Amino acid sequence: MTLNETHDAGLQSWVASANTGQSDFPIQNLPFAVFRRKGSSEGFRGGVAIGDQVLDMAAVRNAKILSSDVQTQIEAAAQSQLNTLMGMTHTQWSALRLALSRALRAGAAEEATLKGCLVAQADVEYAVPAQIGDYTDFYTSVHHATNVGKLFRPTNPLMENYKWVPIGYHGRASSIRVSGVDFKRPNGQIKAPDVNPVLKPCNRLDYELEMGIYAGSANAWGNAIGMDNAEDHIFGLCLLNDWSARDVQAWEYQPLGPFLSKNFATSISPWIVTLEALVPYRTAFTRPAEDPQPLPYLSSEANSQHGALDVQLTVAIQTEKMRAEGKQAEQITQTSYRHAYWTMAQLVAHHTVNGCDLQPGDLLGTGTLSGPTMDQAGALLEITEGGKNPLSLSNGETRTFLLDGDAVVFTGWCEKPGTARIGFGEVRATVLPAHKA
């Protein structure tokens, strides 16, 4: 991917709120979501963010104001699920993005008509933007893997395979929910030392700071996707919270891996930022010289030169007490996706090397994106050293793990001199009391 006119940092939109320099959604972004007006009975449909507005793609379709060359893409972008759009080619996605960019620029002839296609983001609610057929969660942060490994294997925190193969597991697509949907604390089998296990609500509920990668066009079953075209099969990225029941996990994961400790809820942000919008923030991907270098099927010159993405990521917690006192969520972590040990392209190449077929709308989680220092840790398990050292909040409260009423908020954005700031919005959910087992 290369820079084009849609990336020009000087572009301004006739939607004034997109031009503040602080908006997550300037004209250089144009992410996709599925929405409807709050409290309405109308159906969900696709939309594009511009400033504090949503461009209703169903209304754009009906207006027939954009070029006939992109009408197929507009029709797909207007649907209640974006899988058809995701299944198109990079060339088709890029053509739609260019047409939208030109129509939303200051002075565009389409302004008068498209103004009637805008809905304020404050007035809408969102749905999961695609039919997610499969969900795979990876483990791409060597810092997270090392921090967690030290809790259980102090002298050998990383397993032998970690630096050779992207580690992942298949999660539960049916329990993925969009930002703002709260969830109940999960029940599960929990075993304390020297006693038999019991079924009870999780006591060690945690978040995991991740990004989600939406698969685009499919590969045929039995055909691997190579590194050279892996990114042609990625539609875009979102924020993802892989909620984790640590006490359930500690008992059940032997010998196979996560099950009830993970499948009860996964939260995603509503907006999908396209891979093309993120081109200015690509950065080199390097490994320490002493580490094993990736096998040939996980290597490419392009991946080395610009396979990583510098997306800034934050975690904030708003306790029930904070909310009652009118206080905002308190930030406890800031890190970057650039610290990941495996890139997006490597995840796609590895996922399909055995002939597995990815489908449009499938979701890949990056795994917890911790950075090299503890203020960049992406889970309470790391921050509190397994619960031994509680996190202190500014209002005097402490947390080892999450309590009922706690809301967790992730944000993400990209910025650097000479480029427009690109944001992902937020993913937020609140922990509710467990249902009676």
Side-chain angles (χ1 to χ4, degrees), residues 247-279:
D247 41 4
V248 177
Q249 184 179 27
W251 171 236
E252 76 168 4
Y253 85 134
Q254 308 169 56
L256 292 177
F259 183 34
L260 297 189
S261 61
K262 296 281 192 175
N263 72 358
F264 58 95
T266 301
S267 299
I268 56 172
S269 55
W271 293 105
I272 306 172
V273 177
T274 63
L275 211 53
E276 187 171 46
L278 296 168
V279 168

Side-chain angles (χ1 to χ4, degrees), residues 72-405:
T72 300
Q73 295 97 304
I74 291 172
E75 178 64 41
Q79 294 178 13
S80 61
Q81 295 177 322
L82 299 179
N83 299 70
T84 300
L85 179 65
M86 292 174 172
M88 293 181 176
T89 66
H90 168 70
T91 300
Q92 289 173 300
W93 301 331
S94 186
L96 176 59
R97 174 180 163 78
L98 178 59
L100 291 171
S101 174
R102 288 174 172 172
L104 289 166
R105 292 177 197 176
E110 296 87 350
E111 176 180 351
T113 300
L114 291 185
K115 277 185 176 178
C117 301
L118 295 177
V119 183
Q121 290 180 27
D123 296 333
V124 309
E125 57 189 9
Y126 302 99
V128 174
Q131 177 63 46
I132 300 173
D134 275 301
Y135 163 48
T136 303
D137 196 25
F138 283 92
Y139 197 42
T140 66
S141 168
V142 69
H143 306 294
H144 174 69
T146 301
N147 291 338
V148 173
K150 285 178 180 178
L151 297 175
F152 304 101
R153 300 177 301 276
T155 61
N156 184 32
L158 286 182
M159 302 298 285
E160 181 183 7
N161 63 353
Y162 187 86
K163 294 184 176 181
W164 288 98
V165 57
I167 305 299
Y169 75 93
H170 285 280
R172 182 72 181 175
S174 67
S175 54
I176 296 173
R177 295 293 185 273
V178 76
S179 177
V181 177
D182 302 330
F183 67 97
K184 294 179 180 179
R185 179 178 297 272
N187 292 301
Q189 276 199 31
I190 297 171
K191 186 182 184 307
D194 304 321
V195 296
N196 289 333
V198 296
L199 178 67
K200 60 183 294 189
C202 156
N203 286 321
R204 295 164 68 88
L205 184 63
D206 202 357
Y207 58 81
E208 289 192 345
L209 173 63
E210 304 193 21
M211 298 202 74
I213 302 166
Y214 282 97
S217 55
N219 60 304
W221 180 50
N223 292 352
I225 298 173
M227 285 290 291
D228 288 338
N229 65 345
E231 291 189 1
D232 291 338
H233 295 266
I234 297 174
F235 179 71
L237 282 73
C238 68
L239 306 175
L240 186 151
N241 188 340
D242 177 32
W243 302 99
S244 300
R246 300 301 187 188
D247 41 4
V248 177
Q249 184 179 27
W251 171 236
E252 76 168 4
Y253 85 134
Q254 308 169 56
L256 292 177
F259 183 34
L260 297 189
S261 61
K262 296 281 192 175
N263 72 358
F264 58 95
T266 301
S267 299
I268 56 172
S269 55
W271 293 105
I272 306 172
V273 177
T274 63
L275 211 53
E276 187 171 46
L278 296 168
V279 168
Y281 308 99
R282 305 303 292 262
T283 186
F285 170 72
T286 57
R287 287 270 179 88
E290 64 273 17
D291 283 6
Q293 296 308 298
L295 294 179
Y297 81 97
L298 292 172
S299 302
S300 76
E301 184 63 27
N303 192 63
S304 298
Q305 291 179 354
H306 47 74
L309 266 173
D310 188 12
V311 182
Q312 296 298 307
L313 300 163
T314 68
V315 178
I317 292 179
Q318 184 187 49
T319 68
E320 195 167 37
K321 181 180 178 183
M322 291 176 183
R323 198 155 47 249
E325 295 174 348
K327 296 180 180 177
Q328 297 299 309
E330 179 176 334
Q331 182 177 308
I332 59 174
T333 291
Q334 181 170 340
T335 186
S336 172
Y337 184 24
R338 72 176 183 273
H339 297 306
Y341 198 77
W342 299 98
T343 67
M344 300 175 292
Q346 288 173 321
L347 300 188
V348 170
H350 183 66
H351 203 306
T352 63
V353 72
N354 65 347
C356 173
D357 50 330
L358 291 177
Q359 300 297 313
D362 284 356
L363 187 64
L364 310 182
T366 59
T368 307
L369 293 171
S370 299
T373 58
M374 201 50 67
D375 61 342
Q376 297 173 299
L380 285 174
L381 183 68
E382 298 171 75
I383 293 171
T384 67
E385 296 184 85
K388 292 183 292 186
N389 295 305
L391 168 71
S392 295
L393 300 171
S394 61
N395 68 350
E397 292 184 274
T398 62
R399 290 293 184 273
T400 50
F401 293 97
L402 298 170
L403 301 182
D404 291 350

